[in-house]
Amino acid sequence: MAIEPPAVRVPTHIMSSSLTGEPRPLPNAMDDPEELRTFANVRLIAFDLDGTLIGHQSPILGARLADLFSTVSRSQVAVTLATGRTLTGVRAILGQMAELNRVPLVLYNGSVVMRPDHQALIAHSAISRASVEQTLSIGASCADGALFVYTIDTDASLIGGAAQTEAVHFSGKDQAPATDFNGMAVLPLSQLNLDTAKVVAILFEVTDPALRESALGFLMQIPGISATSSGGRYIEIRPSGSSKAVGLRYLTDHMGIQAHQVLAMGDNDNDVELLRWAGISVCVDRASPAAQRASKFISSHGAGEAAIDVLEIVRRARRLFRGDRRNAENATSIVRGNFEPQD
């Protein structure tokens, strides 16, 4: 999937101090309604999951957020996820939000694009065997490290509600956990065939901050991968050239949507490319410094509540400017677009 995110032409009325690294506050009910006009033109909203839609300790959406999701999705706006999680890892959210099943999701930080209801892999990007082996070597030399290697089977389908397209293999000095943080069953690395495996992501767990920083430095020298620390004890590794922005650009090309009609929301370093690319970018309160610098707007709330802010603003803006024919595109064609599986 060789797609390069384009430079974004930002309409002058949403330019903000984010150009100097300081996002402006989201508009509120007391602001001039004209501040909302650009939000009325949104046709696609892409949410990061952990730390944005949900708190790191909560696996599900709040009732108010789930209700707003449904309301906005019915008002000619498509909603999707752009997350580092696997398909298995977003299953609880899909159970709450049926609308998400009908729109392709950007998973594995952009390495995989998949539409759940079609049970079809749309696009993917894989790490080369040489880069995987170098990453495993660094992991083996780290006394405090453990690696979770994620693969997909492009010939498999989702059977009986289980994501058979996905697998995760473990390498570490400690005993492998039964499941990873997505809820996927963890397999030993010895069962991974690097000759045939399509490795789409690697999660490097290092609890010691100094060792994690050192490991990140070594990983950034490996060709063919991109490594970011997204907070906590993890380093997220994906194929170079893939990102949430690239995955989302694939969708917008097929949906006939332009970047200025996309609203993206995130909280951490692995959201930076996405936030820079989208026409309207919003970060949550206390987002990472890099995410704040990449955003045009910032919410005064954290995970969950910040997403409610955004959905309320889009809903209000579309109501205020419903006479603008630029907002009259039929979202049914967005949701039911022709997304065919890859060969």
Side-chain angles (χ1 to χ4, degrees), residues 279-294:
I280 303 176
S281 52
V282 185
C283 65
V284 303
D285 184 37
R286 298 185 181 180
S288 73
Q292 291 192 39
R293 289 192 298 269

Side-chain angles (χ1 to χ4, degrees), residues 78 102-104 115 117-118 122 251 254-256 330-341:
R102 299 195 296 271
V103 180
R115 179 164 167 170
D117 67 344
H118 279 186
I122 295 168
L251 301 188
H254 285 73
M255 291 177 175
N330 189 340
T332 302
S333 64
I334 296 174
V335 173
R336 299 178 181 173
N338 182 25
F339 296 98
E340 296 299 330

Side-chain angles (χ1 to χ4, degrees), residues 177-190:
T179 60
D180 77 336
F181 78 103
N182 291 288
M184 295 175 62
V186 174
L187 304 171
L189 188 67
S190 59

